Amino acid sequence: MKRKLLEILLLLGLLCAVLCGCKDGSAAQTPEDESGSNEPAAQPAADHPNEITVGIAQDLDESLDPHKAVAAGTKEVMFNVFEGLMKPTPEGDLIPAVAEKYEISDDQLTYTFTIRDGIKFHNGDPVTAEDVGESLARCKNGGDGIFEVEAFSNIQHMETADSRSISITLGEPDSEFLSYLTAAVLPAGYDGQDTAPVGTGPFKFVSRAAQDNIVLERFDDYWGEKAYLDKVTYKIIENADSILMSLQSGAVDLFAHLTSTQVAQLGDEFNIEEGTMNLVQAMYLNNAVAPFDDVRVRQALCYAIDRQQILDLAFDGYGSLIGSSMYPAFGKYFDDSLTNYYTYDVEKAKALLADAGYPDGFAMTITVPSNYQPHLDTAQVIVEQLKQVGITAEILPVTWESWLNDTYMGRQFQATVVGVDASTMTARALLERFTSTAGNNFINYNNAEYDAIFQAAIAAADDAAQTAAYKQAEANLTENAANVYIQDLADLVAIRKGLTGVRFYPIYVLDLSGIRYTD
């Protein structure tokens, strides 16, 4: 009845427009005709508000400052709030964002950016070259909880010609430099980013209730194509059973990173979109802790684990096997020859363990964040497989906060099953963390040859040489069994019927700007 009444009212409105609004014989103007704006077309009449609730499996970092973000889940959400001079596309390209255009000098050392005319921060302030310069300097210098972007150490000089122009001069050419300019541009002098973040993205931050929700609203002064939704509420649901209940009850409209088992239990109210998570899922090993400080033990684990069985038992065959710290979406950097470097071989695993002094195996603990069902499911299969070579493994489920603080930051663990992402669309973002001095080298990998290969990669004068060096680095990780590499997980996204617009990127983000109602 409500729907019918809406249709009648629409017809009456149309009749009124015909009789009263076009007496001069001209066509009635649409809002877009009058303003010339790039806002999406008005939403069709429907029995719902123009907003959705998105379920996420973990709370965000304590600070919402994008230059302090640690967790991939935080970056995934705040992708909708912040932008850099450049931004990625679903196709894996880089396009200007805060910048309108840029030029690169013939010697590949000076990058000159023109800031978009009229672009604003969420607080209404115009974006200036000063804001850009301070944001880049902040990421270069680090400190006070801000993570230093190592690639920015190559910046020798920055100069602002006027409020819309900034030139960045490097010490040496860097073919990946543009990719790092996705770093968020923030308003200079603003000190509230921890709790009230301000960016330039299609959505603006409204509120946060710790361990409960994050609310975003459409930014109507956005420089580009406006988001369709007026409001998005992220609901934090860490319990796997609660995830299903929230979807089935109608409390949540969209949930990403579901398992095939969870998807199979959903009803007909949802469409399932399938992509990849763009994560390196592995059993990460603390290389500084016995017995994992012995390469033979690490190699034995690689032979003892049947990765295809993990995919078959825990993921109904979904997922892409990998053999090092690179996933297929990175194209030219992905070395498929490493995928089957270790084949499932119980006898070889036993021989390596015996040679390392563990003929009867040993006991170990696998720490897993309890809010990520895919990693728990993976760990459970691994525990059973390791029994075949005499290793008794116990799963230690921990909260996400505990995993970040104790396992990742504190490096207090033996083994952990998680997925590691690339913060930028570069091979460097995945591989730099394993250099011996990297602050985020949570597995304590210390290999002089690896360090030298990585330095050769970032100093390479041309793309072919750099690609070859990065592949050498991947091979080093594989040959030395730095970790037990498993898969790039399939990303199964449940979206309520009547909604559309899910877009997958080659990095770990969830872009909500294209999500819209179809009825």
mmCIF file of all heavy atoms in Angstrom, residues 100-141:
data_model
loop_
_atom_site.group_PDB
_atom_site.id
_atom_site.type_symbol
_atom_site.label_atom_id
_atom_site.label_comp_id
_atom_site.label_asym_id
_atom_site.label_seq_id
_atom_site.Cartn_x
_atom_site.Cartn_y
_atom_site.Cartn_z
ATOM 1 N N GLU A 100 45.375 17.726 -9.738
ATOM 2 C CA GLU A 100 44.626 17.777 -10.981
ATOM 3 C C GLU A 100 45.467 17.210 -12.124
ATOM 4 O O GLU A 100 44.968 16.542 -13.014
ATOM 5 C CB GLU A 100 44.256 19.228 -11.281
ATOM 6 C CG GLU A 100 43.464 19.440 -12.555
ATOM 7 C CD GLU A 100 43.114 20.905 -12.741
ATOM 8 O OE1 GLU A 100 43.972 21.663 -13.234
ATOM 9 O OE2 GLU A 100 41.996 21.288 -12.349
ATOM 10 N N LYS A 101 46.784 17.481 -12.045
ATOM 11 C CA LYS A 101 47.712 16.996 -13.060
ATOM 12 C C LYS A 101 49.119 17.043 -12.482
ATOM 13 O O LYS A 101 49.358 17.622 -11.415
ATOM 14 C CB LYS A 101 47.630 17.847 -14.323
ATOM 15 C CG LYS A 101 47.944 19.320 -14.114
ATOM 16 C CD LYS A 101 47.768 20.110 -15.397
ATOM 17 C CE LYS A 101 48.063 21.603 -15.154
ATOM 18 N NZ LYS A 101 47.922 22.399 -16.385
ATOM 19 N N TYR A 102 50.061 16.428 -13.192
ATOM 20 C CA TYR A 102 51.443 16.460 -12.741
ATOM 21 C C TYR A 102 52.373 16.341 -13.950
ATOM 22 O O TYR A 102 51.981 15.871 -15.024
ATOM 23 C CB TYR A 102 51.731 15.329 -11.738
ATOM 24 C CG TYR A 102 51.597 13.939 -12.311
ATOM 25 C CD1 TYR A 102 52.701 13.269 -12.852
ATOM 26 C CD2 TYR A 102 50.368 13.288 -12.322
ATOM 27 C CE1 TYR A 102 52.574 11.997 -13.383
ATOM 28 C CE2 TYR A 102 50.232 12.013 -12.846
ATOM 29 C CZ TYR A 102 51.342 11.375 -13.370
ATOM 30 O OH TYR A 102 51.207 10.118 -13.902
ATOM 31 N N GLU A 103 53.604 16.774 -13.747
ATOM 32 C CA GLU A 103 54.644 16.649 -14.757
ATOM 33 C C GLU A 103 55.889 16.075 -14.097
ATOM 34 O O GLU A 103 56.172 16.358 -12.923
ATOM 35 C CB GLU A 103 54.975 18.003 -15.378
ATOM 36 C CG GLU A 103 53.828 18.626 -16.172
ATOM 37 C CD GLU A 103 54.202 19.992 -16.736
ATOM 38 O OE1 GLU A 103 55.320 20.473 -16.426
ATOM 39 O OE2 GLU A 103 53.384 20.567 -17.471
ATOM 40 N N ILE A 104 56.646 15.265 -14.852
ATOM 41 C CA ILE A 104 57.896 14.693 -14.356
ATOM 42 C C ILE A 104 59.027 15.199 -15.247
ATOM 43 O O ILE A 104 58.923 15.157 -16.476
ATOM 44 C CB ILE A 104 57.856 13.156 -14.368
ATOM 45 C CG1 ILE A 104 56.638 12.646 -13.588
ATOM 46 C CG2 ILE A 104 59.144 12.577 -13.773
ATOM 47 C CD1 ILE A 104 56.454 11.135 -13.646
ATOM 48 N N SER A 105 60.082 15.698 -14.626
ATOM 49 C CA SER A 105 61.207 16.245 -15.385
ATOM 50 C C SER A 105 61.898 15.144 -16.189
ATOM 51 O O SER A 105 61.767 13.952 -15.897
ATOM 52 C CB SER A 105 62.202 16.913 -14.442
ATOM 53 O OG SER A 105 62.737 15.964 -13.528
ATOM 54 N N ASP A 106 62.654 15.561 -17.199
ATOM 55 C CA ASP A 106 63.332 14.605 -18.078
ATOM 56 C C ASP A 106 64.300 13.709 -17.317
ATOM 57 O O ASP A 106 64.510 12.551 -17.691
ATOM 58 C CB ASP A 106 64.083 15.349 -19.190
ATOM 59 C CG ASP A 106 63.132 16.021 -20.181
ATOM 60 O OD1 ASP A 106 61.956 15.603 -20.236
ATOM 61 O OD2 ASP A 106 63.566 16.956 -20.881
ATOM 62 N N ASP A 107 64.900 14.241 -16.251
ATOM 63 C CA ASP A 107 65.850 13.422 -15.478
ATOM 64 C C ASP A 107 65.158 12.557 -14.433
ATOM 65 O O ASP A 107 65.829 11.878 -13.645
ATOM 66 C CB ASP A 107 66.919 14.302 -14.820
ATOM 67 C CG ASP A 107 66.330 15.315 -13.834
ATOM 68 O OD1 ASP A 107 65.108 15.256 -13.557
ATOM 69 O OD2 ASP A 107 67.087 16.165 -13.344
ATOM 70 N N GLN A 108 63.810 12.585 -14.410
ATOM 71 C CA GLN A 108 63.007 11.749 -13.520
ATOM 72 C C GLN A 108 63.207 12.077 -12.038
ATOM 73 O O GLN A 108 62.899 11.256 -11.168
ATOM 74 C CB GLN A 108 63.321 10.256 -13.735
ATOM 75 C CG GLN A 108 63.175 9.784 -15.167
ATOM 76 C CD GLN A 108 61.731 9.815 -15.645
ATOM 77 O OE1 GLN A 108 60.875 9.156 -15.055
ATOM 78 N NE2 GLN A 108 61.468 10.560 -16.696
ATOM 79 N N LEU A 109 63.654 13.295 -11.766
ATOM 80 C CA LEU A 109 63.927 13.660 -10.379
ATOM 81 C C LEU A 109 62.919 14.643 -9.791
ATOM 82 O O LEU A 109 62.724 14.662 -8.574
ATOM 83 C CB LEU A 109 65.339 14.265 -10.266
ATOM 84 C CG LEU A 109 66.510 13.312 -10.490
ATOM 85 C CD1 LEU A 109 67.829 14.068 -10.410
ATOM 86 C CD2 LEU A 109 66.489 12.169 -9.480
ATOM 87 N N THR A 110 62.294 15.450 -10.622
ATOM 88 C CA THR A 110 61.374 16.477 -10.105
ATOM 89 C C THR A 110 59.949 16.221 -10.578
ATOM 90 O O THR A 110 59.690 16.102 -11.775
ATOM 91 C CB THR A 110 61.820 17.882 -10.545
ATOM 92 O OG1 THR A 110 63.142 18.131 -10.051
ATOM 93 C CG2 THR A 110 60.875 18.937 -9.979
ATOM 94 N N TYR A 111 59.048 16.135 -9.610
ATOM 95 C CA TYR A 111 57.620 15.930 -9.860
ATOM 96 C C TYR A 111 56.899 17.225 -9.489
ATOM 97 O O TYR A 111 56.984 17.677 -8.344
ATOM 98 C CB TYR A 111 57.082 14.783 -9.013
ATOM 99 C CG TYR A 111 57.627 13.415 -9.369
ATOM 100 C CD1 TYR A 111 58.967 13.093 -9.155
ATOM 101 C CD2 TYR A 111 56.789 12.440 -9.912
ATOM 102 C CE1 TYR A 111 59.462 11.832 -9.468
ATOM 103 C CE2 TYR A 111 57.275 11.183 -10.232
ATOM 104 C CZ TYR A 111 58.608 10.886 -10.013
ATOM 105 O OH TYR A 111 59.096 9.651 -10.336
ATOM 106 N N THR A 112 56.192 17.806 -10.436
ATOM 107 C CA THR A 112 55.465 19.042 -10.186
ATOM 108 C C THR A 112 53.972 18.789 -10.279
ATOM 109 O O THR A 112 53.469 18.320 -11.313
ATOM 110 C CB THR A 112 55.874 20.130 -11.197
ATOM 111 O OG1 THR A 112 57.293 20.344 -11.096
ATOM 112 C CG2 THR A 112 55.149 21.438 -10.891
ATOM 113 N N PHE A 113 53.264 19.065 -9.191
ATOM 114 C CA PHE A 113 51.832 18.787 -9.096
ATOM 115 C C PHE A 113 51.033 20.083 -9.039
ATOM 116 O O PHE A 113 51.416 21.035 -8.355
ATOM 117 C CB PHE A 113 51.522 17.969 -7.844
ATOM 118 C CG PHE A 113 52.048 16.570 -7.905
ATOM 119 C CD1 PHE A 113 53.348 16.297 -7.485
ATOM 120 C CD2 PHE A 113 51.276 15.531 -8.392
ATOM 121 C CE1 PHE A 113 53.859 15.006 -7.543
ATOM 122 C CE2 PHE A 113 51.773 14.244 -8.457
ATOM 123 C CZ PHE A 113 53.072 13.982 -8.034
ATOM 124 N N THR A 114 49.922 20.091 -9.755
ATOM 125 C CA THR A 114 48.953 21.173 -9.664
ATOM 126 C C THR A 114 47.747 20.680 -8.882
ATOM 127 O O THR A 114 47.138 19.669 -9.247
ATOM 128 C CB THR A 114 48.502 21.634 -11.065
ATOM 129 O OG1 THR A 114 49.648 22.067 -11.804
ATOM 130 C CG2 THR A 114 47.496 22.773 -10.963
ATOM 131 N N ILE A 115 47.400 21.365 -7.788
ATOM 132 C CA ILE A 115 46.282 20.975 -6.932
ATOM 133 C C ILE A 115 44.974 21.321 -7.641
ATOM 134 O O ILE A 115 44.866 22.337 -8.323
ATOM 135 C CB ILE A 115 46.341 21.708 -5.574
ATOM 136 C CG1 ILE A 115 47.738 21.566 -4.948
ATOM 137 C CG2 ILE A 115 45.267 21.170 -4.624
ATOM 138 C CD1 ILE A 115 48.215 20.160 -4.779
ATOM 139 N N ARG A 116 43.980 20.482 -7.475
ATOM 140 C CA ARG A 116 42.681 20.732 -8.106
ATOM 141 C C ARG A 116 42.104 22.076 -7.659
ATOM 142 O O ARG A 116 42.123 22.411 -6.473
ATOM 143 C CB ARG A 116 41.682 19.623 -7.742
ATOM 144 C CG ARG A 116 41.957 18.320 -8.439
ATOM 145 C CD ARG A 116 40.860 17.315 -8.191
ATOM 146 N NE ARG A 116 41.213 16.047 -8.809
ATOM 147 C CZ ARG A 116 41.003 15.759 -10.091
ATOM 148 N NH1 ARG A 116 40.410 16.646 -10.872
ATOM 149 N NH2 ARG A 116 41.367 14.595 -10.577
ATOM 150 N N ASP A 117 41.571 22.800 -8.604
ATOM 151 C CA ASP A 117 40.944 24.074 -8.304
ATOM 152 C C ASP A 117 39.638 23.842 -7.539
ATOM 153 O O ASP A 117 38.773 23.081 -7.985
ATOM 154 C CB ASP A 117 40.663 24.828 -9.604
ATOM 155 C CG ASP A 117 40.185 26.249 -9.357
ATOM 156 O OD1 ASP A 117 40.434 26.757 -8.255
ATOM 157 O OD2 ASP A 117 39.557 26.821 -10.275
ATOM 158 N N GLY A 118 39.509 24.451 -6.385
ATOM 159 C CA GLY A 118 38.268 24.359 -5.615
ATOM 160 C C GLY A 118 38.128 23.137 -4.731
ATOM 161 O O GLY A 118 37.113 23.001 -4.034
ATOM 162 N N ILE A 119 39.117 22.249 -4.707
ATOM 163 C CA ILE A 119 39.000 21.051 -3.868
ATOM 164 C C ILE A 119 39.028 21.452 -2.398
ATOM 165 O O ILE A 119 39.767 22.346 -1.984
ATOM 166 C CB ILE A 119 40.122 20.034 -4.195
ATOM 167 C CG1 ILE A 119 39.914 18.731 -3.407
ATOM 168 C CG2 ILE A 119 41.492 20.617 -3.929
ATOM 169 C CD1 ILE A 119 40.870 17.613 -3.815
ATOM 170 N N LYS A 120 38.183 20.771 -1.598
ATOM 171 C CA LYS A 120 38.031 21.114 -0.187
ATOM 172 C C LYS A 120 38.261 19.911 0.726
ATOM 173 O O LYS A 120 38.043 18.769 0.335
ATOM 174 C CB LYS A 120 36.618 21.653 0.084
ATOM 175 C CG LYS A 120 36.278 22.950 -0.618
ATOM 176 C CD LYS A 120 34.836 23.363 -0.283
ATOM 177 C CE LYS A 120 34.450 24.656 -0.970
ATOM 178 N NZ LYS A 120 33.049 25.046 -0.642
ATOM 179 N N PHE A 121 38.682 20.228 1.947
ATOM 180 C CA PHE A 121 38.671 19.236 3.012
ATOM 181 C C PHE A 121 37.245 19.120 3.551
ATOM 182 O O PHE A 121 36.398 19.983 3.301
ATOM 183 C CB PHE A 121 39.619 19.641 4.142
ATOM 184 C CG PHE A 121 41.074 19.503 3.814
ATOM 185 C CD1 PHE A 121 41.878 20.631 3.674
ATOM 186 C CD2 PHE A 121 41.646 18.249 3.645
ATOM 187 C CE1 PHE A 121 43.220 20.508 3.373
ATOM 188 C CE2 PHE A 121 42.991 18.113 3.356
ATOM 189 C CZ PHE A 121 43.783 19.246 3.215
ATOM 190 N N HIS A 122 37.005 18.084 4.329
ATOM 191 C CA HIS A 122 35.666 17.865 4.897
ATOM 192 C C HIS A 122 35.236 18.981 5.844
ATOM 193 O O HIS A 122 34.038 19.158 6.097
ATOM 194 C CB HIS A 122 35.622 16.514 5.623
ATOM 195 C CG HIS A 122 35.849 15.346 4.719
ATOM 196 N ND1 HIS A 122 36.422 14.172 5.142
ATOM 197 C CD2 HIS A 122 35.588 15.180 3.401
ATOM 198 C CE1 HIS A 122 36.498 13.323 4.118
ATOM 199 N NE2 HIS A 122 36.001 13.914 3.057
ATOM 200 N N ASN A 123 36.191 19.720 6.387
ATOM 201 C CA ASN A 123 35.833 20.831 7.274
ATOM 202 C C ASN A 123 35.554 22.121 6.501
ATOM 203 O O ASN A 123 35.317 23.170 7.097
ATOM 204 C CB ASN A 123 36.927 21.070 8.317
ATOM 205 C CG ASN A 123 38.258 21.445 7.692
ATOM 206 O OD1 ASN A 123 38.367 21.617 6.474
ATOM 207 N ND2 ASN A 123 39.290 21.564 8.519
ATOM 208 N N GLY A 124 35.595 22.039 5.162
ATOM 209 C CA GLY A 124 35.287 23.195 4.329
ATOM 210 C C GLY A 124 36.484 24.014 3.904
ATOM 211 O O GLY A 124 36.365 24.890 3.043
ATOM 212 N N ASP A 125 37.651 23.751 4.494
ATOM 213 C CA ASP A 125 38.850 24.508 4.125
ATOM 214 C C ASP A 125 39.357 24.090 2.750
ATOM 215 O O ASP A 125 39.301 22.904 2.393
ATOM 216 C CB ASP A 125 39.968 24.277 5.145
ATOM 217 C CG ASP A 125 39.663 24.888 6.497
ATOM 218 O OD1 ASP A 125 38.726 25.714 6.574
ATOM 219 O OD2 ASP A 125 40.351 24.539 7.477
ATOM 220 N N PRO A 126 39.866 25.035 1.965
ATOM 221 C CA PRO A 126 40.446 24.670 0.670
ATOM 222 C C PRO A 126 41.754 23.910 0.859
ATOM 223 O O PRO A 126 42.489 24.146 1.828
ATOM 224 C CB PRO A 126 40.690 26.029 0.012
ATOM 225 C CG PRO A 126 40.847 26.983 1.148
ATOM 226 C CD PRO A 126 39.924 26.488 2.218
ATOM 227 N N VAL A 127 42.045 22.991 -0.049
ATOM 228 C CA VAL A 127 43.301 22.252 -0.014
ATOM 229 C C VAL A 127 44.365 23.085 -0.719
ATOM 230 O O VAL A 127 44.160 23.564 -1.836
ATOM 231 C CB VAL A 127 43.166 20.891 -0.715
ATOM 232 C CG1 VAL A 127 44.493 20.127 -0.658
ATOM 233 C CG2 VAL A 127 42.057 20.073 -0.076
ATOM 234 N N THR A 128 45.501 23.266 -0.074
ATOM 235 C CA THR A 128 46.581 24.074 -0.634
ATOM 236 C C THR A 128 47.853 23.251 -0.769
ATOM 237 O O THR A 128 47.982 22.154 -0.200
ATOM 238 C CB THR A 128 46.877 25.291 0.248
ATOM 239 O OG1 THR A 128 47.436 24.829 1.494
ATOM 240 C CG2 THR A 128 45.614 26.094 0.529
ATOM 241 N N ALA A 129 48.794 23.820 -1.492
ATOM 242 C CA ALA A 129 50.090 23.165 -1.648
ATOM 243 C C ALA A 129 50.787 23.016 -0.299
ATOM 244 O O ALA A 129 51.537 22.065 -0.065
ATOM 245 C CB ALA A 129 50.954 23.968 -2.615
ATOM 246 N N GLU A 130 50.534 23.958 0.619
ATOM 247 C CA GLU A 130 51.112 23.864 1.957
ATOM 248 C C GLU A 130 50.617 22.611 2.673
ATOM 249 O O GLU A 130 51.385 21.929 3.356
ATOM 250 C CB GLU A 130 50.755 25.099 2.776
ATOM 251 C CG GLU A 130 51.308 25.057 4.198
ATOM 252 C CD GLU A 130 50.788 26.185 5.079
ATOM 253 O OE1 GLU A 130 50.004 27.014 4.575
ATOM 254 O OE2 GLU A 130 51.140 26.213 6.275
ATOM 255 N N ASP A 131 49.325 22.304 2.529
ATOM 256 C CA ASP A 131 48.769 21.092 3.142
ATOM 257 C C ASP A 131 49.476 19.842 2.589
ATOM 258 O O ASP A 131 49.804 18.920 3.339
ATOM 259 C CB ASP A 131 47.272 20.993 2.844
ATOM 260 C CG ASP A 131 46.469 22.148 3.429
ATOM 261 O OD1 ASP A 131 46.675 22.463 4.611
ATOM 262 O OD2 ASP A 131 45.643 22.710 2.695
ATOM 263 N N VAL A 132 49.690 19.836 1.277
ATOM 264 C CA VAL A 132 50.356 18.697 0.647
ATOM 265 C C VAL A 132 51.773 18.555 1.171
ATOM 266 O O VAL A 132 52.212 17.466 1.567
ATOM 267 C CB VAL A 132 50.370 18.852 -0.886
ATOM 268 C CG1 VAL A 132 51.201 17.744 -1.529
ATOM 269 C CG2 VAL A 132 48.949 18.837 -1.436
ATOM 270 N N GLY A 133 52.506 19.664 1.195
ATOM 271 C CA GLY A 133 53.889 19.621 1.649
ATOM 272 C C GLY A 133 54.022 19.148 3.084
ATOM 273 O O GLY A 133 54.893 18.328 3.403
ATOM 274 N N GLU A 134 53.143 19.641 3.963
ATOM 275 C CA GLU A 134 53.211 19.234 5.368
ATOM 276 C C GLU A 134 52.835 17.759 5.533
ATOM 277 O O GLU A 134 53.434 17.047 6.347
ATOM 278 C CB GLU A 134 52.292 20.106 6.220
ATOM 279 C CG GLU A 134 52.389 19.774 7.701
ATOM 280 C CD GLU A 134 51.703 20.789 8.590
ATOM 281 O OE1 GLU A 134 52.012 21.989 8.466
ATOM 282 O OE2 GLU A 134 50.858 20.369 9.412
ATOM 283 N N SER A 135 51.881 17.285 4.746
ATOM 284 C CA SER A 135 51.471 15.880 4.832
ATOM 285 C C SER A 135 52.607 14.956 4.417
ATOM 286 O O SER A 135 52.874 13.935 5.068
ATOM 287 C CB SER A 135 50.242 15.627 3.943
ATOM 288 O OG SER A 135 49.127 16.364 4.399
ATOM 289 N N LEU A 136 53.301 15.310 3.329
ATOM 290 C CA LEU A 136 54.418 14.486 2.869
ATOM 291 C C LEU A 136 55.582 14.534 3.854
ATOM 292 O O LEU A 136 56.217 13.506 4.130
ATOM 293 C CB LEU A 136 54.874 14.944 1.488
ATOM 294 C CG LEU A 136 53.859 14.794 0.350
ATOM 295 C CD1 LEU A 136 54.447 15.264 -0.964
ATOM 296 C CD2 LEU A 136 53.379 13.350 0.221
ATOM 297 N N ALA A 137 55.847 15.722 4.408
ATOM 298 C CA ALA A 137 56.920 15.843 5.392
ATOM 299 C C ALA A 137 56.620 15.024 6.638
ATOM 300 O O ALA A 137 57.510 14.417 7.238
ATOM 301 C CB ALA A 137 57.116 17.317 5.756
ATOM 302 N N ARG A 138 55.362 14.996 7.009
ATOM 303 C CA ARG A 138 54.924 14.221 8.173
ATOM 304 C C ARG A 138 55.223 12.737 7.970
ATOM 305 O O ARG A 138 55.716 12.050 8.870
ATOM 306 C CB ARG A 138 53.423 14.452 8.354
ATOM 307 C CG ARG A 138 52.826 14.139 9.715
ATOM 308 C CD ARG A 138 51.411 14.684 9.753
ATOM 309 N NE ARG A 138 50.809 14.480 11.060
ATOM 310 C CZ ARG A 138 49.835 13.599 11.293
ATOM 311 N NH1 ARG A 138 49.380 12.850 10.308
ATOM 312 N NH2 ARG A 138 49.325 13.481 12.496
ATOM 313 N N CYS A 139 54.919 12.231 6.763
ATOM 314 C CA CYS A 139 55.156 10.819 6.459
ATOM 315 C C CYS A 139 56.649 10.528 6.294
ATOM 316 O O CYS A 139 57.103 9.420 6.563
ATOM 317 C CB CYS A 139 54.414 10.421 5.190
ATOM 318 S SG CYS A 139 52.625 10.430 5.335
ATOM 319 N N LYS A 140 57.399 11.508 5.843
ATOM 320 C CA LYS A 140 58.835 11.325 5.667
ATOM 321 C C LYS A 140 59.554 11.251 7.013
ATOM 322 O O LYS A 140 60.417 10.408 7.229
ATOM 323 C CB LYS A 140 59.416 12.467 4.833
ATOM 324 C CG LYS A 140 60.940 12.401 4.682
ATOM 325 C CD LYS A 140 61.497 13.604 3.937
ATOM 326 C CE LYS A 140 63.022 13.525 3.875
ATOM 327 N NZ LYS A 140 63.618 14.677 3.171
ATOM 328 N N ASN A 141 59.169 12.132 7.930
ATOM 329 C CA ASN A 141 59.898 12.258 9.192
ATOM 330 C C ASN A 141 59.439 11.271 10.252
ATOM 331 O O ASN A 141 60.213 10.869 11.121
ATOM 332 C CB ASN A 141 59.760 13.685 9.723
ATOM 333 C CG ASN A 141 60.347 14.709 8.765
ATOM 334 O OD1 ASN A 141 61.316 14.421 8.066
ATOM 335 N ND2 ASN A 141 59.754 15.895 8.714
#
